[in-house]
Amino acid sequence: MATSANTQQRDPNTVLVGKKPVMNYVLACLTLLQNGNSGVTIKARGRAISKAVDVAQILTKRFATDVTVKKISIDTEQVKSPETGTTSNVSSIEIKLEK
Amino acid sequence: MATSANTQQRDPNTVLVGKKPVMNYVLACLTLLQNGNSGVTIKARGRAISKAVDVAQILTKRFATDVTVKKISIDTEQVKSPETGTTSNVSSIEIKLEK
């Protein structure tokens, strides 16, 4: 959905979780899976990390029970504030789901 | 520290991340590691999941660079509201760090 619109340089099977309601991202993942993809990657940064875990759990436990969590990795990204110009560290998560 | 006080039935090497500042949990992990433990498990539920990832990243990148993320698992827990008596699903995370 809208989440994959601004991720042209990324893997098209990636859903970037942000500030929208959880079910938006669940639907985005379901759409990708129903379009013949065997897997989908959920990414999030900062506070959206909790929501990314929610998305993965709702998918695997309720809507796509044939999909399982294949790999979870965490990392730190440097984010530059456009106002102050200072860089800060933000944690990120990547959850790979596969059929 | 205080986080392990009410986790008697749990693994003593577990730090449960909640509402306190991130550095409290980083310190709790460092204390466990400095007391001879070769590893520590960080657990969190709901919104604290993002903070748990922060704790793991701050530890592995800054304060205990010899420690690496060994395993990350996510799950769903049923939480019963004491007021309404209804159960709701809450996502949880478990991050295992080891030397």
Side-chain angles (χ1 to χ4, degrees), chain A residues 10-83:
Chain A
R10 290 172 201 258
D11 183 357
N13 295 346
T14 298
V15 171
L16 186 64
V17 174
K19 294 189 174 176
K20 291 179 200 164
V22 181
M23 290 316 278
N24 287 35
Y25 303 110
V26 173
L27 256 172
C29 292
L30 276 177
T31 310
L32 282 173
L33 290 169
Q34 242 126 51
N35 283 348
N37 290 300
S38 63
V40 57
T41 303
I42 304 167
K43 280 190 186 180
R45 285 201 305 203
R47 292 207 193 156
I49 289 175
S50 323
K51 205 182 279 179
V53 174
D54 288 343
V55 171
Q57 287 294 303
I58 291 170
L59 268 173
T60 54
K61 305 254 159 157
R62 211 190 308 172
F63 293 107
T65 43
D66 55 335
V67 170
T68 52
V69 175
K70 208 74 183 175
K71 197 187 161 196
I72 306 171
S73 53
I74 58 177
D75 203 1
T76 304
E77 289 180 20
Q78 301 252 331
V79 175
K80 195 167 183 172
S81 160
E83 289 153 18

Side-chain angles (χ1 to χ4, degrees), chain B residues 63-78:
Chain B
F63 293 107
T65 43
D66 55 335
V67 170
T68 52
V69 175
K70 207 75 185 174
K71 199 189 162 196
I72 307 171
S73 53
I74 57 177
D75 204 359
T76 304
E77 291 181 19
Q78 302 252 332

